[in-house]
């Protein structure tokens, strides 16, 4: 009964490179959420997705950031042409299907720490 | 974006003391969730609340969904060193298909053994 898996746990990229962060939701979960967290700060919502659909991307920067959750395989958060300001912890969460109660509970992975040099 | 007002921002207490923290909003929420985050880890769900007035316990933790549906509190009784961490509240604003949570900025708890 594995939890939410994220990889890599740590990622170092030089300015201008691309970063790909992966998230495998808990078994049976239908929705994936991506958050960004700077040191000593709270969680900032970025995007949430259902299989093959972006539901709400109101927290995503307009440029360089994209997310997908394909029919098969993990969800991917992609950051193109990274800059130093992209350095942060990126967390993925997943939730079960449904429209009431426990379907709103989000379960988090351990995060990916991105460092841009 | 919208945020919850979470207080206090930080607490420093002695082991064995009780702790109370709360979240308030100007909007009505349908669900309240309380999470704890340890350094270097992802948040862990502690308690979920679904009905106004609901009081739920998880070991030494107790949380309540305010009757106005605009607030929630979390109590920790007889604190121990492993309670150290950041506690976040989160609320779900609308019923139905909108699953986006609104988050508080966290309460940082330090426990002196």
């Amino acid at each position: 009964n594995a939890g939410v898996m994220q990889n890599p746990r740590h990622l170092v990229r030089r300015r201008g490179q691309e970063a790909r962060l992966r998230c495998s939701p808990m078994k049976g979960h239908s929705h994936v959420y991506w958050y960004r967290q700077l040191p000593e700060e709270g969680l900032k919502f970025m995007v949430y997705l259902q299989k093959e659909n972006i539901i709400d991307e109101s927290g995503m920067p307009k440029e360089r950031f994209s997310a997908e959750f394909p029919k098969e395989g993990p969800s991917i958060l992609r950051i193109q042409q990274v800059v130093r300001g992209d350095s942060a912890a990126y967390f993925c969460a997943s939730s079960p299907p449904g429209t009431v109660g426990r379907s709103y509970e989000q379960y988090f992975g351990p995060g990916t720490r991105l460092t841009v040099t | 974006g919208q945020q919850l007002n979470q207080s206090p921002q930080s607490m420093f207490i002695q082991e064995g003391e009780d702790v109370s923290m709360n979240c308030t909003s100007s909007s009505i929420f349908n669900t309240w969730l309380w999470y704890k985050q340890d350094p270097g880890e992802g948040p862990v769900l502690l308690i979920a609340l679904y009905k106004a007035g609901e009081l739920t316990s998880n070991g030494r933790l107790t949380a309540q969904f305010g009757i106005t549906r605009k607030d929630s509190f979390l109590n920790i009784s007889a604190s121990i060193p492993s309670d150290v961490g950041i506690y976040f509240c989160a609320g779900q604003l609308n019923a139905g298909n909108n699953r986006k949570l609104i988050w508080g900025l966290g309460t940082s708890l330090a426990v002196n053994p």
Side-chain angles (χ1 to χ4, degrees), chain A residues 48-65:
Chain A
Y48 90 86
L49 312 96
Q50 200 175 6
K51 284 285 186 181
E52 300 183 281
N53 286 308
I54 295 174
I55 308 300
D56 185 329
E57 56 180 347
S58 57
M60 285 278 272
K62 298 299 181 191
E63 298 177 349
R64 302 191 296 109
F65 285 73

Side-chain angles (χ1 to χ4, degrees), chain B residues 1 10 13 29 50 69 74 84 97:
Chain B
S10 61
I13 62 170
F29 283 78
Y50 306 111
R69 295 169 64 191
L74 175 70
V84 166
N97 291 326

Side-chain angles (χ1 to χ4, degrees), chain A residues 37-80:
Chain A
Q37 187 177 41
L38 294 171
E40 311 299 324
E41 292 191 8
L43 294 163
K44 182 178 183 297
F45 168 80
M46 298 180 76
V47 60
Y48 90 86
L49 312 96
Q50 200 175 6
K51 284 285 186 181
E52 300 183 281
N53 286 308
I54 295 174
I55 308 300
D56 185 329
E57 56 180 347
S58 57
M60 285 278 272
K62 298 299 181 191
E63 298 177 349
R64 302 191 296 109
F65 285 73
S66 62
E68 62 177 13
F69 189 14
K71 189 176 180 181
E72 301 290 337
S75 175
I76 306 287
L77 179 67
R78 182 181 179 209
I79 311 173
Q80 295 178 290

Side-chain angles (χ1 to χ4, degrees), chain B residues 77-88:
Chain B
S77 62
S79 58
I80 59 178
S82 63
D83 291 334
V84 166
I86 302 177
Y87 292 79
F88 291 101

Side-chain angles (χ1 to χ4, degrees), chain B residues 59-77:
Chain B
R60 294 178 296 104
L61 278 61
T62 302
Q64 184 159 30
F65 193 143
I67 57 172
T68 65
R69 295 169 64 191
K70 293 182 178 180
D71 62 340
S72 177
F73 72 74
L74 175 70
N75 287 343
I76 305 173
S77 62

